[in-house]
Amino acid sequence: RLDHAVLELFHGPTFAFKDVALQMLGNFFEYFLETGSNGGRLAVLGATSGDTGSAAIYGLRGKKGIDCIILFPNGRVSPIQERQMTTVPDSNIHCVAVDGTFDDCQDIVKASFNDPAFREKVKLGAVNSINWCRVLAQTTYYFWSYLRVTQKHPTVKTVNYSVPTGNFGDILAGFYAKQMGLPVGKLVVATNENDILHRFFTTGEYHRFGIAKSISPSMDICVSSNFERYLYFLAGNNSTVLADWMNTFETTKKLTLTGDKLKQAQADFLSARADTKMTLDVIQEYHQKHDYVLCPHSAVGISAIQQLNMVDTATVALATAHEAKFPAAVKRAIDPLPTPPIQLASLYNLPTRRSECPNDAKTVQAFMWKRIQERIKNEETTASVFSSPAIKRGLMAAAIVGAAAVFVQIVFKKK
């Protein structure tokens, strides 16, 4: 039995917390396109450090009027994460390995949205947590888990949350839930070696460094795209102040806040950093003591509450992914590994398809446009074939023959 709650968010189709929002988002997109919004077409461009890509693909595969283009850093996602993306055969899914880091992929997405001509030409849409719908959907499980914890422990009045954090979207949803009135106590920003957020909340220094490759790759991010939303709150919802801060950061790669602004940030969030050894120690400890297996990201979140002495019944640690998605990392702490879910084990037997692009926004945009045009042409060809008089007559004849066969079977059964 654990001494704190764990909120398992990995029971969706891709075994990661991002399924919660992206299953909803895919259906929203399809509904609004069918009602005529955006001319009935949408090109979704997303960047992934691992989990967002597969969750977006499973949420958008086969959706009418939608092309989904996912960029991921070549060689910097786990093999299972890559296979979850590249084994999906639907024609509207396009996986692109970019020669760079996740931040490079994210920069290409941002540059594309900042290009009005391209944005309009392809009917561009977002699937990363820069899409507000993503963050909105994620607020729901903070409310749900609060009700479960306080039901089980009636003396608990406020609930703390520890969130493995890279892009700041998941924990930002918790912050917004608190702003909406949910009795949240402390929100813990848990980072790995790529600790720009931990450095900010402890020193006020949001300084960009290079990315260190870690065993929790979904958190290997050196610029958190959603953090700008929190900075807007810190700026008193003043867009001019925020623009000055972000211009300084874009120019110098550094933003430093001190005084009352830093105190306010530290009142809103706590933080902790877990390196590889600390992460593996937690995975091993929880397996030995509790017969419970954590993925590396979830272990970072639990290491954080251990460091901050917050292991108690009023604390929830978010478990963001199934451990079987990171077998190489988990095996360093647990051997032999538990049997993985069949949905993940079977990925190694499926064919894959992917494209590769250099770290260049214009090249990626050209690739997108080409793929979209190819798919539209194929759809028009298929529609033209099935609308021809000869095909229509053939389909009608087949329908009549089929109906007759069913009728004859029914007559013989009665006899």
Side-chain angles (χ1 to χ4, degrees):
R1 180 175 177 177
L2 303 180
D3 298 320
H4 60 88
V6 174
L7 179 58
E8 294 183 348
L9 296 169
F10 50 75
H11 294 285
T14 70
F15 298 90
F17 79 96
K18 296 177 182 183
D19 288 323
V20 175
L22 287 163
Q23 286 294 304
M24 183 185 85
L25 184 60
N27 288 321
F28 275 2
F29 278 156
E30 187 173 50
Y31 169 78
F32 286 113
L33 292 178
E34 286 179 345
T35 60
S37 297
N38 216 44
R41 295 203 65 84
L42 184 69
V44 171
L45 177 61
T48 185
S49 55
D51 289 331
T52 292
S54 57
I57 286 168
Y58 276 71
L60 297 174
R61 60 184 302 184
K63 296 294 186 184
K64 186 178 180 181
I66 299 176
D67 280 279
C68 175
I69 298 91
I70 297 296
L71 313 180
F72 64 94
N74 201 0
R76 288 178 175 264
V77 300
S78 79
I80 285 183
Q81 286 176 316
E82 180 170 337
R83 282 186 167 271
Q84 281 188 302
M85 295 185 282
T86 58
T87 55
V88 175
D90 299 68
S91 63
N92 71 321
I93 300 300
H94 316 283
C95 301
V96 183
V98 173
D99 183 20
T101 66
F102 167 75
D103 288 86
D104 294 325
C105 297
Q106 192 162 249
D107 286 344
I108 291 172
V109 173
K110 291 179 179 177
S112 299
F113 274 92
N114 288 328
D115 184 338
F118 177 75
R119 189 173 66 224
E120 178 59 30
K121 181 170 75 170
V122 301
K123 306 293 185 184
L124 197 60
V127 75
N128 284 82
S129 50
I130 54 176
N131 186 315
W132 169 245
C133 187
R134 277 274 307 275
V135 179
L136 180 65
Q138 289 170 194
T139 64
T140 59
Y141 47 72
Y142 286 93
F143 286 88
W144 185 91
S145 58
Y146 172 85
L147 294 173
R148 300 290 81 74
V149 170
T150 54
Q151 181 182 45
K152 186 174 182 179
H153 305 286
T155 58
V156 172
K157 302 303 179 185
T158 61
V159 177
N160 310 306
Y161 291 89
S162 180
V163 186
T165 306
N167 225 12
F168 205 72
D170 201 7
I171 198 165
L172 184 67
F175 176 74
Y176 286 143
K178 185 175 183 178
Q179 294 298 304
M180 286 189 275
L182 186 67
V184 173
K186 298 295 184 181
L187 288 165
V188 179
V189 175
T191 76
N192 62 13
E193 292 91 335
N194 298 289
D195 59 355
I196 186 172
L197 292 169
H198 173 57
R199 286 183 276 114
F200 173 80
F201 286 109
T202 52
T203 68
E205 295 181 352
Y206 190 70
H207 296 183
R208 178 173 182 168
F209 298 149
I211 291 180
K213 195 172 182 179
S214 79
I215 62 170
S216 46
S218 298
M219 298 160 63
D220 289 349
I221 298 169
C222 68
V223 177
S224 304
S225 63
N226 279 287
F227 190 60
E228 190 172 338
R229 285 178 164 142
Y230 175 65
L231 289 177
Y232 179 68
F233 175 85
L234 270 187
N237 298 338
N238 187 319
S239 59
T240 302
V241 172
L242 176 63
D244 288 341
W245 286 353
M246 296 313 297
N247 287 336
T248 298
F249 179 73
E250 291 296 330
T251 303
T252 66
K253 310 300 181 187
K254 295 180 179 180
L255 172 65
T256 303
L257 298 185
T258 58
D260 291 341
K261 294 298 182 186
L262 177 58
K263 289 179 182 177
Q264 183 180 350
Q266 292 172 335
D268 291 333
F269 296 93
L270 298 178
S271 70
R273 173 190 187 275
D275 61 21
T276 295
K277 183 182 183 305
M278 297 165 74
T279 304
L280 293 173
D281 286 347
V282 169
I283 294 173
Q284 187 176 66
E285 174 193 346
Y286 270 60
H287 182 245
Q288 292 177 347
K289 289 185 178 180
H290 308 292
D291 194 26
Y292 190 78
V293 184
L294 295 159
C295 90
H297 309 78
S298 307
V300 168
I302 289 176
S303 176
I305 61 174
Q306 290 178 338
Q307 294 176 54
L308 296 168
N309 296 315
M310 292 176 60
V311 178
D312 56 44
T313 56
T315 297
V316 177
L318 272 59
T320 52
H322 195 288
E323 80 278 355
K325 297 185 74 170
F326 308 95
V330 177
K331 194 170 184 178
R332 293 170 64 178
I334 301 172
D335 193 10
L337 292 171
T339 302
I342 186 62
Q343 298 94 324
L344 295 178
S346 63
L347 291 173
Y348 291 99
N349 300 319
L350 298 175
T352 63
R353 62 185 182 92
R354 73 174 207 174
S355 302
E356 296 184 5
C357 281
N359 178 21
D360 178 72
K362 293 300 182 184
T363 302
V364 171
Q365 290 174 1
F367 168 86
M368 280 185 64
W369 181 239
K370 180 181 178 182
R371 287 290 184 267
I372 292 168
Q373 290 298 101
E374 288 174 352
R375 201 166 93 84
I376 292 174
K377 185 177 180 179
N378 290 338
E379 287 180 354
E380 290 174 346
T381 300
T382 302
S384 175
V385 167
F386 280 96
S387 64
S388 71
I391 293 295
K392 285 183 177 179
R393 287 195 296 271
L395 292 173
M396 181 63 71
I400 293 170
V401 171
V406 171
F407 176 75
V408 169
Q409 283 186 338
I410 293 172
V411 169
F412 274 106
K413 282 182 180 179
K414 286 183 176 180
K415 289 183 176 182

